[in-house]
Every structure is written in C-alpha cells, then in structure tokens.
Amino acid sequence: MNILVVGANGQIGTHLVEKLKNTETYKPVAFVRKEEQVTKFEDKGIEARLGNLESSVTDLKKSMKDIDAIVFTAGSGGSTGTDKTMLIDLDGAVKVMEAAEDMNIKRFIMVSAFQADVRENWSEEMKPYFAAKHYADKFLMNSDLNYTIIRPGMLENKPAIGKIALTRALTEASDPMTIPREDVAQLILEALENDRTFLQSFDVTTGDQEITEALKGL
C-alpha cells in the first residue's frame, strides 16, 4: 500500500515515513518541495516526489500516481505570515483533497490542530492558523474522501510515550495537553486501515491508554 506523506520533511512526517518504511504492509512516498529533500529521502531508500502546495491541482495530481492513501501533515510553519498560512494550511490542503478525489484516492488522514473545531477556544494571536485548519477540516468532512482528522495537543520532541487520550471536548482533555510528535506518527500508522477511525475526527493528547486500545473506543 503506497502512502503519500505530504509534509514528509516536517517533524511528524519524518517520524511517519520511517515507521512506514519499517513495515511490510506500507511503502512511504515522501512529498517534498525541495530537490535536496528528495535527495535526503532517496539516500535512505525512500521514494520522494517533488511538489508544491501552491501549485495547481493538475500539478499535484502528477505526484499521486499509484498512491493508495494520503497523509497531510504539512504546514506553513510558525515563521511565516498569515498569507502563507492561508495558501498552505487551507488552500494547499484543499487542493490536495481535490487532487485525491480526481485520482480516486479515497483514504485521507489530516493532521489538524487541537480544538480547531471549537472557535471559542482559539487564542487571539493564532486565529488565522486555527481558521485555516478549521475550514480545511470542514472541506474534508464534506468531501467524498474516507477521512480521519487528528487534532493533536501541543507537540513535543520528547521520546514516544505510547499512551494517549482521545478527546472531543476541552473539559475531557488530559493535563498537560501535550503529545510527542512520534506518538502522533504512530497513531497515524495505526489509523490507516483501522475502520474505527474512518469518518472520525478527534483531539489527542498524552493519556493512559495504549494507542491500539484507545482507537477501540471510537
């Protein structure tokens, strides 16, 4: 099963590509925007395809040949302005969805943002980012794609803990509301063909359940 990881050069994407590579079931395909990133992945024996989320749907479709599922974990980054947030986190995400539909790729996992579905909980300085994630998620939920939307808490670069809490309301969330990036990658891996995650959206933080067990509760 060929998995296109959009945002493969990011921190979650890097963890995910390595995890996919170490399975017998999945083959990762890294979607990256720079030639040197292509070389980095190819040197590890991982197929990489060059693309740009600001390009057209037609161009994006060229990167999706023989792809069975897509994971979108790209983002404009904290150092960019609102313009790039809208062009990458919203419009870029929507164009990938449109391209996936055109290519008849049904499975789509979105890495969104914690509480992106609850406007009242958006911080003032981060409102453009949350709005971009919110409406990208809305578009995905109204598409024909078999989606899973994962909204992780504050991301950390700590080693994986392997235990999570899936939450749908801030009052249910664990304290602190953080999660290692590697645990998010493992969650994506385990969600890919888990039918309990199909057409589901949820927040996730570090918790007290093994990932496999937590997914059984969906």
Side-chain angles (χ1 to χ4, degrees), residues 1-205:
M1 188 174 182
N2 297 328
I3 314 298
L4 185 69
V5 181
V6 181
N9 199 57
Q11 296 182 77
I12 292 174
T14 298
H15 282 300
L16 178 60
V17 166
E18 288 295 332
K19 289 178 181 293
L20 291 166
K21 182 176 182 287
N22 290 331
T23 70
E24 296 181 359
T25 307
Y26 303 119
K27 176 192 172 186
V29 179
F31 179 97
V32 295
R33 62 186 180 89
K34 296 180 180 179
E35 290 283 0
E36 57 264 33
Q37 295 167 351
V38 172
T39 302
K40 182 186 86 169
F41 283 106
E42 288 180 343
D43 286 347
K44 296 179 180 179
I46 297 166
E47 181 182 351
R49 299 181 184 179
L50 195 63
N52 188 331
L53 292 176
E54 294 185 55
S55 65
S56 67
V57 172
T58 299
D59 284 342
L60 290 171
K61 285 161 60 174
K62 296 174 185 176
S63 301
M64 296 183 182
K65 184 180 179 182
D66 298 323
I67 293 298
D68 301 299
I70 295 173
V71 176
F72 190 96
T73 183
S76 58
S79 61
T80 61
T82 301
D83 55 344
K84 287 294 183 183
T85 300
M86 292 299 159
L87 290 173
I88 301 299
D89 297 80
L90 176 52
D91 192 48
V94 168
K95 286 187 291 189
V96 172
M97 296 172 213
E98 291 175 336
E101 288 184 313
D102 286 351
M103 295 294 287
N104 200 33
I105 301 166
K106 294 300 184 184
R107 188 69 175 116
F108 197 106
I109 295 183
M110 169 70 80
V111 178
S112 183
F114 191 71
Q115 294 287 291
D117 58 328
V118 185
R119 289 189 184 91
E120 293 78 9
N121 293 332
W122 299 353
S123 63
E124 193 64 35
E125 66 274 16
M126 294 287 286
K127 272 188 177 179
Y129 170 75
F130 281 110
K133 292 296 189 183
H134 177 84
Y135 286 104
D137 294 351
K138 284 279 191 183
F139 188 94
L140 180 54
M141 287 187 284
N142 288 318
S143 73
D144 292 327
L145 298 168
N146 179 11
Y147 66 83
T148 301
I149 298 170
I150 298 170
R151 299 187 296 265
M154 186 178 296
L155 296 165
E156 297 185 313
N157 285 326
K158 300 192 314 187
I161 296 170
K163 293 188 175 183
I164 63 170
L166 302 182
T167 62
R168 290 187 175 82
L170 188 62
T171 54
E172 298 173 9
S174 59
D175 185 21
M177 290 172 286
T178 59
I179 187 168
R181 287 176 169 87
E182 188 175 356
D183 280 336
V184 177
Q186 184 64 34
L187 172 59
I188 295 167
L189 178 68
E190 296 193 29
L192 271 167
E193 293 186 274
N194 186 326
D195 59 8
R196 288 182 176 272
T197 71
F198 294 173
L199 306 180
Q200 294 277 0
S201 63
F202 48 82
D203 293 333
V204 60
T205 62

